[in-house]
Amino acid sequence: MGERFQDRVAIVTGAAQGIGAAIALRLSREGATVIGLDIKRDELAALSAHLPRFEAEPVDLASLTDIARAIEKIRGKHSRIDVLINNAGVMDYVRIDLAGLEKWRRVMAINLEAQFHMCRLLAPVMMEQGYGRIVNIASTEAVQPEPHVSIYAASKGAIFSFTRAIAVDLAPFGILANAIAPGCIHTPMSIVNGVDETTTDVFQEWYVGKRKIPLARPGEPEEIAAVAAFLASDECSYVTGQTIIVDGGLTITN
Ligand SMILES: NC(=O)c1ccc[n+]([C@@H]2O[C@H](COP(=O)([O-])OP(=O)(O)OC[C@H]3O[C@@H](n4cnc5c(N)ncnc54)[C@H](O)[C@@H]3O)[C@@H](O)[C@H]2O)c1
């Protein structure tokens, strides 16, 4: 594989597992120094053993103090940050009449506010170097919600608008910002209450058998990583402010 990210420094949030780990692996294999932020210390440490030039940065992204401390440390160590992948997120199913403010605030803090803080705190570094690629991970739940996802969908829908708006702010500085809305991806997040949702009868009958997902299968984290790597690279030179849907066609069917 070529060295698209040689001498590039990339931050990936939620890098300990699932989509974030796949993105960290992909960027690292293509030459990047990857700094992985996650609350799961042990999983991050395990990744360090596999990846060359990988730096583990344990952080609770629900805490601004934690985020600010991590960024200060990273800035002290690295003179440039080329790529920011805002991937960390949590899913919390709850019907709207049962949803409380506490749950709303927690999901918003991790899924949305952390992206806001990472962008606003790292934008000055990218502006000064006149280069940057930002990739925010949203979700197709924002446009085609399942039951009980109002809070999650709101957090992800805001990422579409936030990404469009920062793309305008940052374009004069050579910084491109895009988002990815994954559909149904086979990761630890697709295991709900101990059940892998991609193996249930309903999923197999409706999403696969009846081709609600035209490609008739869940996606793999590596398939999100491939798109993220493009958006994070120099090959992405005329795409900004977009949310790329990567869902096997899920949102094109009724
Ligand atoms: N899996 C899917 O089907 C799917 C679909 C659409 C969007 N997404 C989005 O993709 C992103 C990655 O999801 P995934 O499927 O890999 O999920 P995952 O649960 O496997 O991984 C999420 C990672 O984020 C980390 N994280 C969660 N809260 C954190 C916190 N407070 N501080 C630091 N790290 C924290 C977790 O520790 C974990 O490593 C999320 O934003 C998710 O909403 C996933």
Side-chain angles (χ1 to χ4, degrees), residues 13-21 37-40 43 59-63 86-91 106 110-111 115 137-141 152 156 159 180-190 221 224:
T13 73
Q17 65 183 37
I19 292 169
L37 273 59
D38 207 290
I39 202 166
K40 295 190 172 167
E43 287 83 345
V59 56
D60 178 1
L61 291 161
S63 153
N86 281 310
N87 161 80
V90 288
M91 173 62 129
R106 177 158 177 78
I110 298 167
N111 290 9
Q115 294 202 4
I137 305 298
S139 169
T140 54
E141 298 282 9
Y152 181 78
K156 294 299 189 177
I159 293 169
I180 298 174
C184 183
I185 310 301
H186 193 231
T187 72
M189 192 181 270
S190 56
I224 304 301

Side-chain angles (χ1 to χ4, degrees), residues 8-25:
R8 297 282 186 210
V9 179
I11 294 180
V12 180
T13 73
Q17 65 183 37
I19 292 169
I23 295 172
L25 186 70

Side-chain angles (χ1 to χ4, degrees), residues 38-100:
D38 207 290
I39 202 166
K40 295 190 172 167
R41 253 167 210 280
D42 295 347
E43 287 83 345
L44 268 190
L47 261 191
S48 315
H50 283 93
L51 300 187
R53 302 171 307 278
F54 181 80
E55 295 171 19
E57 198 57 64
V59 56
D60 178 1
L61 291 161
S63 153
L64 174 55
T65 317
D66 257 34
I67 293 174
R69 193 185 305 127
I71 288 183
E72 205 183 302
K73 187 175 158 201
I74 293 165
R75 289 192 64 171
K77 194 166 171 197
H78 295 277
S79 57
R80 52 185 302 128
I81 302 293
D82 302 286
V83 174
L84 168 62
I85 314 276
N86 281 310
N87 161 80
V90 288
M91 173 62 129
D92 205 336
Y93 290 95
V94 58
R95 208 175 59 193
I96 185 62
D97 55 307
L98 303 172

Side-chain angles (χ1 to χ4, degrees), residues 15-235:
Q17 65 183 37
I19 292 169
I23 295 172
L25 186 70
R26 178 74 191 241
L27 298 183
S28 168
R29 284 210 177 128
E30 293 197 51
T33 293
V34 178
I35 305 158
L37 273 59
D38 207 290
I39 202 166
K40 295 190 172 167
R41 253 167 210 280
D42 295 347
E43 287 83 345
L44 268 190
L47 261 191
S48 315
H50 283 93
L51 300 187
R53 302 171 307 278
F54 181 80
E55 295 171 19
E57 198 57 64
V59 56
D60 178 1
L61 291 161
S63 153
L64 174 55
T65 317
D66 257 34
I67 293 174
R69 193 185 305 127
I71 288 183
E72 205 183 302
K73 187 175 158 201
I74 293 165
R75 289 192 64 171
K77 194 166 171 197
H78 295 277
S79 57
R80 52 185 302 128
I81 302 293
D82 302 286
V83 174
L84 168 62
I85 314 276
N86 281 310
N87 161 80
V90 288
M91 173 62 129
D92 205 336
Y93 290 95
V94 58
R95 208 175 59 193
I96 185 62
D97 55 307
L98 303 172
L101 186 56
E102 208 172 301
K103 207 161 254 198
W104 169 273
R105 287 199 170 138
R106 177 158 177 78
V107 172
M108 286 296 166
I110 298 167
N111 290 9
L112 183 60
E113 281 177 35
Q115 294 202 4
F116 164 65
H117 292 312
M118 294 297 292
C119 288
R120 73 183 176 86
L121 295 171
L122 288 168
V125 182
M126 292 182 170
M127 288 162 85
E128 202 182 316
Q129 70 201 13
Y131 181 90
R133 294 288 182 273
I134 297 173
V135 182
N136 297 326
I137 305 298
S139 169
T140 54
E141 298 282 9
V143 289
Q144 198 178 80
E146 300 174 276
H148 307 167
V149 298
S150 58
I151 299 177
Y152 181 78
S155 74
K156 294 299 189 177
I159 293 169
F160 284 51
S161 329
F162 176 65
T163 304
R164 288 162 70 96
I166 62 169
V168 175
D169 282 357
L170 299 175
F173 303 94
I175 303 165
L176 280 58
N178 291 287
I180 298 174
C184 183
I185 310 301
H186 193 231
T187 72
M189 192 181 270
S190 56
I191 299 171
V192 180
N193 300 325
V195 178
D196 182 344
E197 290 211 308
T198 64
T199 62
T200 61
D201 289 348
V202 173
F203 188 90
Q204 288 302 323
E205 271 172 48
W206 176 242
Y207 289 86
V208 178
K210 291 197 165 64
R211 288 193 177 257
K212 165 66 184 151
I213 300 174
L215 294 182
R217 62 174 176 83
E220 294 301 325
E222 294 72 22
E223 296 179 290
I224 304 301
V227 180
F230 163 71
L231 293 173
S233 75
D234 288 347
E235 282 185 282

